[in-house]
Amino acid sequence: RVPRTSSGGGTMISFKKACEAHGLPFSDKPIDGSSGFGPTESNIVDGKRVGAYRTYLVPAMKRENLKVIQKAQASRVIFDGTKATGVEYLNKEGEKVVVNCNKEVILSCGTVRSPHVLLLSGVGDEKNLKKHNIPLVADVPGVGMNFQDHIWAAVFYEPSEPLPSFPGQFLSTQGLWRIDGNTEKQPDYQIVTIGRKEYLHNFPKPPGYEDKEVFMAASTLLHPRSSGSVSLSSSDPSAYPVVDPNYLACPEDLLVLRKGLELTCKIVSSMDCIKSNIIPGPLDVDDYIRGSAQSLFHPVGTCKMGNDIFAVVNEKFEVKGTQNLRVIDASVLPSLPSGNTHVPTLSVATRALQIMRGN
Ligand SMILES: Cc1cc2nc3c(=O)[nH]c(=O)nc-3n(C[C@H](O)[C@H](O)[C@H](O)COP(=O)(O)OP(=O)(O)OC[C@H]3O[C@@H](n4cnc5c(N)ncnc54)[C@H](O)[C@@H]3O)c2cc1C
């Protein structure tokens, strides 16, 4: 379910007017990944965000062929040669328990943990596995490589009127745009405005505004050229893996974020619901971005699908060099979509299901 933002109220109208004043195309229709400005879509039912747990797992819990074990951490896939035969997990007491399978094992631990479990299981780059004394099952050098994530940099404004309340809602309005303004090509940044009472807690409020309402707007880098990695810190499954996001390593990424932030400031400062700008003041924009940009929590790519040497799964989601093992989660996306990753991940899972059913 992806309903449209209920109503952006005054802030939405104000954003629309500002876009039109700058000659930017605003549409009341959902933005489908191509360039344009408009309202956002959200998975919201009765004021609550809805994810895969409530929409897929809860309705399936009554099935007799489903058993969910809580407080269990998958520590490795068990192999007979290169054929997956089960999973070892740590229970809540930290004891190792093995579950055998008679068909196949599906890893869905996400972009950080799916490659971690593969590496702990002996599927990865042979040289790195050797360093951690992990016996090799399959030499798949791309496991944990190609980490990509959306990052965004935010600016803050004082609103001229009280902000509306949208419980459970994340964004109000957005724009997908390119630094060269070419609307024929895929957008390279996303502008979002968060003009609502409920604040995003991962962004500290500007000094002096801790107990006041602030209007936030941000620019997101959609298709970073920089990529990072997930690797082992130890062969101990309870040790965290090393995540090196390598943000902004390529100068082009900083350029896109800067251009995006400049347009964000231009639009927002001409919105009639805005009283004054708080942050950034007269700063070096690149320094500001480097010091303040944050993850939008959209990592993908560490078990990417493809045919090249760094691909981890094939088009059937099967892990290369193994049998009876698939990865189905955001880690298989070879690159980031021009938007948020929740629905693309659900689409990937739906496609995987069709393939597993033989369609
Ligand atoms: C704070 C936050 C806000 C977000 N907001 C949005 C948004 O507004 N819109 C949007 O489109 N996307 C959003 N995302 C991104 C979206 O949630 C992800 O893209 C999506 O959940 C990825 O799905 P996944 O199945 O790959 O991984 P996950 O959803 O992370 O699922 C992996 C699961 O595996 C479990 N797990 C991990 N390791 C193990 C292990 N060893 N053993 C057993 N279980 C394990 C985890 O606990 C988790 O339940 C947000 C993400 C975060 C973190």
Side-chain angles (χ1 to χ4, degrees), residues 165-229:
S165 180
F166 301 117
Q169 191 162 295
F170 184 46
L171 309 171
S172 306
T173 48
Q174 65 161 336
L176 299 174
W177 207 241
R178 268 182 78 81
I179 57 172
D180 59 10
N182 184 344
T183 53
E184 299 297 312
K185 293 191 180 164
Q186 73 172 0
D188 49 22
Y189 62 88
Q190 176 192 38
I191 290 173
V192 295
T193 66
I194 304 176
R196 55 160 214 188
K197 225 180 193 68
E198 301 80 21
Y199 194 67
L200 289 180
H201 300 289
N202 53 320
F203 272 98
K205 280 192 181 180
Y209 287 82
E210 290 84 356
D211 55 352
K212 294 192 186 127
E213 286 186 0
V214 291
F215 184 96
M216 178 181 155
S219 163
T220 303
L221 174 67
L222 290 176
H223 301 289
R225 287 170 176 76
S226 324
S227 64
S229 61

Short mmCIF file of all heavy atoms in Angstrom, two decimals, residues 165-229:
data_model
loop_
_atom_site.label_atom_id
_atom_site.label_comp_id
_atom_site.label_asym_id
_atom_site.label_seq_id
_atom_site.Cartn_x
_atom_site.Cartn_y
_atom_site.Cartn_z
N SER A 165 0.60 18.84 11.83
CA SER A 165 0.97 17.57 12.45
C SER A 165 0.59 16.42 11.51
O SER A 165 -0.53 16.36 11.03
CB SER A 165 0.23 17.43 13.77
OG SER A 165 0.58 16.21 14.37
N PHE A 166 1.54 15.53 11.22
CA PHE A 166 1.26 14.34 10.40
C PHE A 166 1.82 13.13 11.11
O PHE A 166 2.92 12.68 10.80
CB PHE A 166 1.94 14.44 9.02
CG PHE A 166 1.52 15.61 8.21
CD1 PHE A 166 2.44 16.57 7.85
CD2 PHE A 166 0.21 15.74 7.79
CE1 PHE A 166 2.07 17.65 7.08
CE2 PHE A 166 -0.17 16.82 7.02
CZ PHE A 166 0.76 17.78 6.67
N PRO A 167 1.11 12.57 12.10
CA PRO A 167 1.69 11.45 12.84
C PRO A 167 2.07 10.31 11.90
O PRO A 167 1.30 9.96 11.00
CB PRO A 167 0.56 11.01 13.77
CG PRO A 167 -0.40 12.14 13.79
CD PRO A 167 -0.25 12.87 12.50
N GLY A 168 3.24 9.77 12.10
CA GLY A 168 3.68 8.62 11.32
C GLY A 168 4.22 8.97 9.96
O GLY A 168 4.80 8.14 9.27
N GLN A 169 4.04 10.19 9.53
CA GLN A 169 4.47 10.52 8.18
C GLN A 169 5.90 11.02 8.18
O GLN A 169 6.33 11.71 9.09
CB GLN A 169 3.56 11.59 7.62
CG GLN A 169 3.78 11.81 6.15
CD GLN A 169 2.60 12.54 5.57
OE1 GLN A 169 1.50 12.02 5.54
NE2 GLN A 169 2.83 13.74 5.16
N PHE A 170 6.62 10.67 7.13
CA PHE A 170 8.03 10.98 7.10
C PHE A 170 8.31 12.29 6.38
O PHE A 170 8.75 13.26 6.96
CB PHE A 170 8.76 9.81 6.44
CG PHE A 170 10.24 9.94 6.44
CD1 PHE A 170 10.91 10.33 7.58
CD2 PHE A 170 10.97 9.67 5.30
CE1 PHE A 170 12.29 10.44 7.59
CE2 PHE A 170 12.34 9.78 5.30
CZ PHE A 170 12.99 10.17 6.44
N LEU A 171 8.00 12.32 5.11
CA LEU A 171 8.32 13.50 4.31
C LEU A 171 7.05 14.21 3.89
O LEU A 171 5.99 13.61 3.83
CB LEU A 171 9.08 13.09 3.05
CG LEU A 171 10.28 12.19 3.25
CD1 LEU A 171 10.78 11.68 1.92
CD2 LEU A 171 11.37 12.95 3.96
N SER A 172 7.14 15.48 3.54
CA SER A 172 5.96 16.19 3.08
C SER A 172 5.99 16.34 1.56
O SER A 172 5.06 15.95 0.87
CB SER A 172 5.91 17.58 3.69
OG SER A 172 5.99 17.49 5.07
N THR A 173 7.05 16.91 1.06
CA THR A 173 7.15 17.14 -0.38
C THR A 173 8.55 16.75 -0.83
O THR A 173 9.48 16.69 -0.03
CB THR A 173 6.93 18.62 -0.72
OG1 THR A 173 7.75 19.39 0.14
CG2 THR A 173 5.49 19.02 -0.57
N GLN A 174 8.69 16.52 -2.10
CA GLN A 174 10.02 16.16 -2.59
C GLN A 174 10.19 16.57 -4.04
O GLN A 174 9.23 16.87 -4.75
CB GLN A 174 10.25 14.66 -2.46
CG GLN A 174 9.33 13.83 -3.35
CD GLN A 174 9.86 12.42 -3.57
OE1 GLN A 174 11.04 12.16 -3.46
NE2 GLN A 174 8.96 11.51 -3.91
N GLY A 175 11.43 16.56 -4.47
CA GLY A 175 11.74 16.81 -5.87
C GLY A 175 12.89 15.92 -6.28
O GLY A 175 13.80 15.67 -5.49
N LEU A 176 12.81 15.38 -7.48
CA LEU A 176 13.93 14.61 -8.03
C LEU A 176 14.49 15.44 -9.17
O LEU A 176 13.75 15.83 -10.09
CB LEU A 176 13.44 13.25 -8.55
CG LEU A 176 12.81 12.32 -7.51
CD1 LEU A 176 12.25 11.07 -8.16
CD2 LEU A 176 13.83 11.93 -6.45
N TRP A 177 15.79 15.72 -9.13
CA TRP A 177 16.34 16.66 -10.11
C TRP A 177 17.78 16.29 -10.45
O TRP A 177 18.38 15.46 -9.77
CB TRP A 177 16.27 18.08 -9.52
CG TRP A 177 16.17 19.15 -10.56
CD1 TRP A 177 17.07 20.16 -10.77
CD2 TRP A 177 15.14 19.34 -11.53
NE1 TRP A 177 16.66 20.95 -11.80
CE2 TRP A 177 15.48 20.47 -12.29
CE3 TRP A 177 13.96 18.65 -11.84
CZ2 TRP A 177 14.69 20.94 -13.34
CZ3 TRP A 177 13.18 19.11 -12.88
CH2 TRP A 177 13.54 20.24 -13.62
N ARG A 178 18.29 16.91 -11.52
CA ARG A 178 19.68 16.67 -11.95
C ARG A 178 20.47 17.96 -11.92
O ARG A 178 19.91 19.03 -12.16
CB ARG A 178 19.69 16.18 -13.40
CG ARG A 178 19.64 14.71 -13.59
CD ARG A 178 19.71 14.40 -15.07
NE ARG A 178 21.07 14.51 -15.58
CZ ARG A 178 21.98 13.56 -15.46
NH1 ARG A 178 21.69 12.45 -14.83
NH2 ARG A 178 23.19 13.71 -15.96
N ILE A 179 21.78 17.84 -11.72
CA ILE A 179 22.56 19.08 -11.65
C ILE A 179 22.57 19.80 -13.00
O ILE A 179 22.69 21.00 -13.06
CB ILE A 179 24.00 18.89 -11.12
CG1 ILE A 179 24.79 17.88 -11.93
CG2 ILE A 179 24.01 18.50 -9.67
CD1 ILE A 179 26.27 17.84 -11.53
N ASP A 180 22.42 19.05 -14.12
CA ASP A 180 22.39 19.73 -15.42
C ASP A 180 20.95 20.04 -15.86
O ASP A 180 20.73 20.53 -16.96
CB ASP A 180 23.11 18.89 -16.49
CG ASP A 180 22.50 17.51 -16.67
OD1 ASP A 180 21.40 17.27 -16.11
OD2 ASP A 180 23.10 16.67 -17.35
N GLY A 181 19.97 19.73 -15.01
CA GLY A 181 18.57 20.06 -15.32
C GLY A 181 17.98 19.22 -16.45
O GLY A 181 16.86 19.48 -16.88
N ASN A 182 18.72 18.20 -16.94
CA ASN A 182 18.23 17.39 -18.06
C ASN A 182 17.19 16.39 -17.55
O ASN A 182 17.53 15.40 -16.89
CB ASN A 182 19.42 16.65 -18.70
CG ASN A 182 19.01 15.87 -19.92
OD1 ASN A 182 17.82 15.61 -20.14
ND2 ASN A 182 19.98 15.49 -20.74
N THR A 183 15.94 16.64 -17.87
CA THR A 183 14.87 15.80 -17.32
C THR A 183 14.72 14.47 -18.08
O THR A 183 13.92 13.63 -17.70
CB THR A 183 13.52 16.55 -17.33
OG1 THR A 183 13.30 17.03 -18.65
CG2 THR A 183 13.52 17.70 -16.35
N GLU A 184 15.49 14.30 -19.16
CA GLU A 184 15.43 13.04 -19.91
C GLU A 184 16.25 11.95 -19.22
O GLU A 184 16.00 10.77 -19.40
CB GLU A 184 16.02 13.23 -21.33
CG GLU A 184 15.27 14.25 -22.19
CD GLU A 184 13.83 13.81 -22.45
OE1 GLU A 184 13.65 12.66 -22.84
OE2 GLU A 184 12.92 14.63 -22.24
N LYS A 185 17.26 12.38 -18.44
CA LYS A 185 18.13 11.39 -17.79
C LYS A 185 17.67 11.16 -16.36
O LYS A 185 16.90 11.95 -15.82
CB LYS A 185 19.57 11.91 -17.79
CG LYS A 185 20.18 11.99 -19.16
CD LYS A 185 21.65 12.24 -19.01
CE LYS A 185 22.34 12.35 -20.35
NZ LYS A 185 23.66 12.96 -20.21
N GLN A 186 18.21 10.09 -15.72
CA GLN A 186 17.77 9.82 -14.35
C GLN A 186 18.24 10.93 -13.42
O GLN A 186 19.35 11.45 -13.56
CB GLN A 186 18.24 8.45 -13.88
CG GLN A 186 19.71 8.32 -13.57
CD GLN A 186 20.05 6.98 -12.93
OE1 GLN A 186 19.22 6.15 -12.70
NE2 GLN A 186 21.32 6.79 -12.63
N PRO A 187 17.38 11.31 -12.45
CA PRO A 187 17.76 12.39 -11.53
C PRO A 187 18.97 12.00 -10.70
O PRO A 187 19.18 10.81 -10.45
CB PRO A 187 16.52 12.55 -10.65
CG PRO A 187 15.68 11.36 -10.88
CD PRO A 187 16.07 10.75 -12.18
N ASP A 188 19.77 12.98 -10.28
CA ASP A 188 20.92 12.61 -9.44
C ASP A 188 20.81 13.14 -8.01
O ASP A 188 21.64 12.80 -7.18
CB ASP A 188 22.27 12.96 -10.09
CG ASP A 188 22.36 14.36 -10.62
OD1 ASP A 188 21.59 15.21 -10.15
OD2 ASP A 188 23.22 14.59 -11.50
N TYR A 189 19.82 13.98 -7.72
CA TYR A 189 19.59 14.30 -6.31
C TYR A 189 18.10 14.43 -6.03
O TYR A 189 17.29 14.61 -6.94
CB TYR A 189 20.37 15.53 -5.84
CG TYR A 189 20.05 16.84 -6.52
CD1 TYR A 189 19.04 17.67 -6.04
CD2 TYR A 189 20.80 17.28 -7.61
CE1 TYR A 189 18.77 18.89 -6.64
CE2 TYR A 189 20.54 18.50 -8.21
CZ TYR A 189 19.53 19.30 -7.73
OH TYR A 189 19.26 20.51 -8.32
N GLN A 190 17.78 14.32 -4.74
CA GLN A 190 16.39 14.39 -4.29
C GLN A 190 16.32 15.49 -3.23
O GLN A 190 17.12 15.51 -2.30
CB GLN A 190 16.00 13.05 -3.66
CG GLN A 190 14.61 12.98 -3.06
CD GLN A 190 14.41 11.72 -2.21
OE1 GLN A 190 15.32 11.29 -1.51
NE2 GLN A 190 13.25 11.12 -2.28
N ILE A 191 15.36 16.38 -3.41
CA ILE A 191 15.14 17.42 -2.40
C ILE A 191 13.93 16.99 -1.58
O ILE A 191 12.91 16.59 -2.14
CB ILE A 191 14.86 18.78 -3.08
CG1 ILE A 191 16.15 19.28 -3.74
CG2 ILE A 191 14.31 19.79 -2.08
CD1 ILE A 191 15.95 20.53 -4.57
N VAL A 192 14.05 17.04 -0.26
CA VAL A 192 12.88 16.74 0.56
C VAL A 192 12.65 17.88 1.54
O VAL A 192 13.60 18.51 2.00
CB VAL A 192 13.03 15.41 1.35
CG1 VAL A 192 13.09 14.24 0.41
CG2 VAL A 192 14.23 15.42 2.26
N THR A 193 11.39 18.13 1.83
CA THR A 193 11.09 19.12 2.87
C THR A 193 10.29 18.41 3.95
O THR A 193 9.44 17.57 3.66
CB THR A 193 10.25 20.29 2.32
OG1 THR A 193 8.97 19.80 1.95
CG2 THR A 193 10.92 20.96 1.15
N ILE A 194 10.62 18.72 5.18
CA ILE A 194 9.94 18.09 6.30
C ILE A 194 9.33 19.21 7.14
O ILE A 194 9.92 19.65 8.12
CB ILE A 194 10.91 17.18 7.07
CG1 ILE A 194 11.50 16.17 6.08
CG2 ILE A 194 10.19 16.45 8.21
CD1 ILE A 194 12.53 15.27 6.61
N GLY A 195 8.19 19.68 6.66
CA GLY A 195 7.51 20.78 7.35
C GLY A 195 6.39 20.22 8.17
O GLY A 195 5.24 20.22 7.76
N ARG A 196 6.71 19.68 9.31
CA ARG A 196 5.69 19.07 10.16
C ARG A 196 6.16 19.13 11.60
O ARG A 196 7.34 19.27 11.88
CB ARG A 196 5.43 17.63 9.76
CG ARG A 196 6.72 16.82 9.76
CD ARG A 196 6.48 15.36 9.83
NE ARG A 196 7.56 14.79 10.60
CZ ARG A 196 7.78 13.51 10.74
NH1 ARG A 196 6.98 12.66 10.20
NH2 ARG A 196 8.78 13.08 11.45
N LYS A 197 5.19 19.01 12.49
CA LYS A 197 5.47 19.17 13.92
C LYS A 197 6.41 18.08 14.45
O LYS A 197 7.33 18.34 15.19
CB LYS A 197 4.14 19.08 14.67
CG LYS A 197 3.96 20.12 15.72
CD LYS A 197 2.61 19.92 16.40
CE LYS A 197 2.25 21.12 17.22
NZ LYS A 197 1.98 22.31 16.42
N GLU A 198 6.14 16.82 14.05
CA GLU A 198 6.95 15.71 14.57
C GLU A 198 8.34 15.81 13.96
O GLU A 198 8.50 15.87 12.75
CB GLU A 198 6.33 14.36 14.19
CG GLU A 198 4.93 14.15 14.71
CD GLU A 198 3.87 14.84 13.86
OE1 GLU A 198 4.15 15.13 12.69
OE2 GLU A 198 2.78 15.10 14.39
N TYR A 199 9.33 15.82 14.80
CA TYR A 199 10.68 16.08 14.33
C TYR A 199 11.45 14.79 14.10
O TYR A 199 11.14 13.74 14.65
CB TYR A 199 11.41 16.95 15.38
CG TYR A 199 12.67 17.53 14.83
CD1 TYR A 199 12.61 18.49 13.82
CD2 TYR A 199 13.90 17.09 15.28
CE1 TYR A 199 13.77 19.00 13.28
CE2 TYR A 199 15.05 17.61 14.74
CZ TYR A 199 14.98 18.56 13.74
OH TYR A 199 16.13 19.05 13.21
N LEU A 200 12.45 14.86 13.24
CA LEU A 200 13.31 13.69 13.01
C LEU A 200 14.41 13.68 14.06
O LEU A 200 15.22 14.58 14.12
CB LEU A 200 13.96 13.79 11.63
CG LEU A 200 13.03 13.60 10.46
CD1 LEU A 200 13.81 13.73 9.19
CD2 LEU A 200 12.37 12.25 10.54
N HIS A 201 14.42 12.65 14.87
CA HIS A 201 15.30 12.69 16.04
C HIS A 201 16.77 12.48 15.71
O HIS A 201 17.62 12.79 16.51
CB HIS A 201 14.82 11.67 17.07
CG HIS A 201 13.43 11.97 17.51
ND1 HIS A 201 13.15 13.06 18.30
CD2 HIS A 201 12.25 11.39 17.22
CE1 HIS A 201 11.84 13.11 18.50
NE2 HIS A 201 11.28 12.11 17.85
N ASN A 202 17.05 11.92 14.53
CA ASN A 202 18.47 11.69 14.24
C ASN A 202 19.20 12.96 13.83
O ASN A 202 20.41 12.97 13.72
CB ASN A 202 18.66 10.59 13.18
CG ASN A 202 17.87 10.83 11.93
OD1 ASN A 202 16.73 11.27 12.01
ND2 ASN A 202 18.45 10.57 10.79
N PHE A 203 18.45 14.04 13.58
CA PHE A 203 19.10 15.32 13.32
C PHE A 203 19.01 16.19 14.57
O PHE A 203 17.91 16.55 14.99
CB PHE A 203 18.40 16.06 12.17
CG PHE A 203 18.93 15.68 10.83
CD1 PHE A 203 18.28 14.74 10.05
CD2 PHE A 203 20.09 16.26 10.34
CE1 PHE A 203 18.78 14.38 8.81
CE2 PHE A 203 20.59 15.90 9.10
CZ PHE A 203 19.94 14.97 8.33
N PRO A 204 20.15 16.55 15.18
CA PRO A 204 20.06 17.44 16.33
C PRO A 204 19.51 18.79 15.90
O PRO A 204 19.86 19.28 14.82
CB PRO A 204 21.51 17.56 16.81
CG PRO A 204 22.36 17.01 15.73
CD PRO A 204 21.51 16.19 14.81
N LYS A 205 18.64 19.38 16.71
CA LYS A 205 18.11 20.70 16.34
C LYS A 205 19.21 21.74 16.49
O LYS A 205 20.10 21.60 17.33
CB LYS A 205 16.94 21.05 17.25
CG LYS A 205 15.65 20.38 16.83
CD LYS A 205 14.48 20.99 17.57
CE LYS A 205 13.20 20.32 17.17
NZ LYS A 205 12.04 20.87 17.86
N PRO A 206 19.13 22.80 15.69
CA PRO A 206 20.17 23.83 15.79
C PRO A 206 20.19 24.46 17.18
O PRO A 206 19.14 24.55 17.83
CB PRO A 206 19.72 24.86 14.75
CG PRO A 206 18.74 24.16 13.88
CD PRO A 206 18.13 23.08 14.68
N PRO A 207 21.37 24.90 17.66
CA PRO A 207 21.47 25.51 18.99
C PRO A 207 20.49 26.68 19.13
O PRO A 207 20.35 27.48 18.21
CB PRO A 207 22.93 26.00 19.05
CG PRO A 207 23.64 25.27 17.98
CD PRO A 207 22.64 24.87 16.94
N GLY A 208 19.82 26.74 20.26
CA GLY A 208 18.85 27.81 20.50
C GLY A 208 17.45 27.44 20.03
O GLY A 208 16.48 28.13 20.31
N TYR A 209 17.33 26.33 19.28
CA TYR A 209 16.03 25.93 18.74
C TYR A 209 15.59 24.57 19.28
O TYR A 209 14.68 23.96 18.75
CB TYR A 209 16.07 25.89 17.20
CG TYR A 209 16.11 27.27 16.60
CD1 TYR A 209 17.31 27.96 16.51
CD2 TYR A 209 14.94 27.90 16.17
CE1 TYR A 209 17.35 29.24 16.00
CE2 TYR A 209 14.98 29.17 15.65
CZ TYR A 209 16.18 29.85 15.57
OH TYR A 209 16.20 31.11 15.06
N GLU A 210 16.26 24.11 20.35
CA GLU A 210 16.00 22.76 20.85
C GLU A 210 14.53 22.53 21.18
O GLU A 210 14.00 21.46 20.96
CB GLU A 210 16.86 22.46 22.10
CG GLU A 210 18.35 22.30 21.82
CD GLU A 210 19.10 23.62 21.76
OE1 GLU A 210 18.45 24.69 21.87
OE2 GLU A 210 20.34 23.60 21.59
N ASP A 211 13.87 23.55 21.75
CA ASP A 211 12.47 23.36 22.14
C ASP A 211 11.51 24.10 21.20
O ASP A 211 10.37 24.36 21.55
CB ASP A 211 12.27 23.80 23.60
CG ASP A 211 12.73 25.23 23.80
OD1 ASP A 211 13.34 25.80 22.86
OD2 ASP A 211 12.47 25.79 24.88
N LYS A 212 11.99 24.46 20.01
CA LYS A 212 11.12 25.17 19.07
C LYS A 212 10.87 24.33 17.82
O LYS A 212 11.62 23.40 17.53
CB LYS A 212 11.78 26.49 18.65
CG LYS A 212 11.93 27.46 19.79
CD LYS A 212 12.31 28.83 19.26
CE LYS A 212 12.59 29.76 20.42
NZ LYS A 212 13.87 30.43 20.32
N GLU A 213 9.84 24.71 17.09
CA GLU A 213 9.58 24.03 15.82
C GLU A 213 10.56 24.52 14.77
O GLU A 213 10.81 25.73 14.67
CB GLU A 213 8.16 24.37 15.34
CG GLU A 213 7.10 23.67 16.12
CD GLU A 213 5.72 23.92 15.53
OE1 GLU A 213 5.60 24.63 14.53
OE2 GLU A 213 4.77 23.39 16.10
N VAL A 214 11.11 23.60 14.00
CA VAL A 214 11.96 24.03 12.88
C VAL A 214 11.49 23.33 11.61
O VAL A 214 11.02 22.19 11.64
CB VAL A 214 13.46 23.73 13.11
CG1 VAL A 214 14.03 24.59 14.21
CG2 VAL A 214 13.72 22.27 13.38
N PHE A 215 11.61 24.03 10.51
CA PHE A 215 11.28 23.48 9.20
C PHE A 215 12.59 22.97 8.62
O PHE A 215 13.59 23.68 8.60
CB PHE A 215 10.71 24.59 8.32
CG PHE A 215 10.24 24.12 6.98
CD1 PHE A 215 8.90 23.81 6.77
CD2 PHE A 215 11.12 23.99 5.92
CE1 PHE A 215 8.45 23.37 5.53
CE2 PHE A 215 10.68 23.54 4.68
CZ PHE A 215 9.35 23.24 4.48
N MET A 216 12.58 21.71 8.19
CA MET A 216 13.82 21.12 7.69
C MET A 216 13.69 20.80 6.20
O MET A 216 12.62 20.39 5.74
CB MET A 216 14.06 19.83 8.47
CG MET A 216 15.27 19.08 8.05
SD MET A 216 15.39 17.59 9.06
CE MET A 216 16.33 16.58 7.95
N ALA A 217 14.75 21.00 5.48
CA ALA A 217 14.79 20.60 4.07
C ALA A 217 16.15 19.98 3.82
O ALA A 217 17.13 20.33 4.48
CB ALA A 217 14.57 21.80 3.17
N ALA A 218 16.22 19.03 2.91
CA ALA A 218 17.49 18.34 2.71
C ALA A 218 17.68 17.95 1.25
O ALA A 218 16.72 17.82 0.49
CB ALA A 218 17.53 17.08 3.58
N SER A 219 18.93 17.77 0.91
CA SER A 219 19.28 17.29 -0.42
C SER A 219 19.93 15.91 -0.26
O SER A 219 20.80 15.73 0.58
CB SER A 219 20.26 18.28 -1.05
OG SER A 219 20.91 17.68 -2.13
N THR A 220 19.46 14.95 -1.06
CA THR A 220 19.98 13.58 -0.98
C THR A 220 20.72 13.22 -2.25
O THR A 220 20.22 13.46 -3.36
CB THR A 220 18.81 12.58 -0.82
OG1 THR A 220 18.06 12.92 0.33
CG2 THR A 220 19.30 11.15 -0.69
N LEU A 221 21.88 12.61 -2.09
CA LEU A 221 22.65 12.11 -3.23
C LEU A 221 22.05 10.76 -3.64
O LEU A 221 22.07 9.81 -2.85
CB LEU A 221 24.11 11.93 -2.78
CG LEU A 221 25.09 11.29 -3.73
CD1 LEU A 221 25.33 12.18 -4.94
CD2 LEU A 221 26.41 11.01 -3.00
N LEU A 222 21.49 10.69 -4.86
CA LEU A 222 20.76 9.47 -5.24
C LEU A 222 21.64 8.35 -5.78
O LEU A 222 21.39 7.18 -5.53
CB LEU A 222 19.70 9.81 -6.30
CG LEU A 222 18.52 10.65 -5.81
CD1 LEU A 222 17.60 10.99 -6.97
CD2 LEU A 222 17.74 9.91 -4.73
N HIS A 223 22.66 8.73 -6.58
CA HIS A 223 23.46 7.69 -7.23
C HIS A 223 24.95 7.94 -6.99
O HIS A 223 25.65 8.45 -7.86
CB HIS A 223 23.15 7.66 -8.73
CG HIS A 223 21.70 7.40 -9.01
ND1 HIS A 223 21.12 6.17 -8.79
CD2 HIS A 223 20.71 8.22 -9.41
CE1 HIS A 223 19.83 6.24 -9.08
NE2 HIS A 223 19.55 7.47 -9.45
N PRO A 224 25.41 7.62 -5.76
CA PRO A 224 26.81 7.92 -5.44
C PRO A 224 27.78 7.17 -6.34
O PRO A 224 27.53 6.02 -6.71
CB PRO A 224 26.94 7.45 -3.99
CG PRO A 224 25.81 6.52 -3.75
CD PRO A 224 24.71 6.93 -4.68
N ARG A 225 28.87 7.84 -6.68
CA ARG A 225 29.94 7.15 -7.41
C ARG A 225 30.86 6.44 -6.43
O ARG A 225 31.52 5.48 -6.77
CB ARG A 225 30.73 8.15 -8.24
CG ARG A 225 29.95 8.63 -9.46
CD ARG A 225 30.66 9.80 -10.14
NE ARG A 225 30.00 10.23 -11.35
CZ ARG A 225 28.88 10.95 -11.39
NH1 ARG A 225 28.28 11.31 -10.27
NH2 ARG A 225 28.35 11.32 -12.54
N SER A 226 30.91 6.93 -5.20
CA SER A 226 31.74 6.29 -4.17
C SER A 226 31.01 5.03 -3.68
O SER A 226 29.80 5.05 -3.54
CB SER A 226 31.91 7.20 -2.96
OG SER A 226 32.00 8.54 -3.32
N SER A 227 31.77 3.98 -3.43
CA SER A 227 31.14 2.81 -2.80
C SER A 227 32.05 2.31 -1.69
O SER A 227 33.26 2.52 -1.72
CB SER A 227 30.88 1.72 -3.84
OG SER A 227 32.08 1.24 -4.36
N GLY A 228 31.46 1.64 -0.72
CA GLY A 228 32.21 1.17 0.44
C GLY A 228 32.16 -0.34 0.56
O GLY A 228 31.98 -1.05 -0.44
N SER A 229 32.29 -0.84 1.79
CA SER A 229 32.35 -2.30 1.96
C SER A 229 31.91 -2.73 3.35
O SER A 229 31.89 -1.93 4.29
CB SER A 229 33.78 -2.78 1.72
OG SER A 229 34.64 -2.18 2.67
#
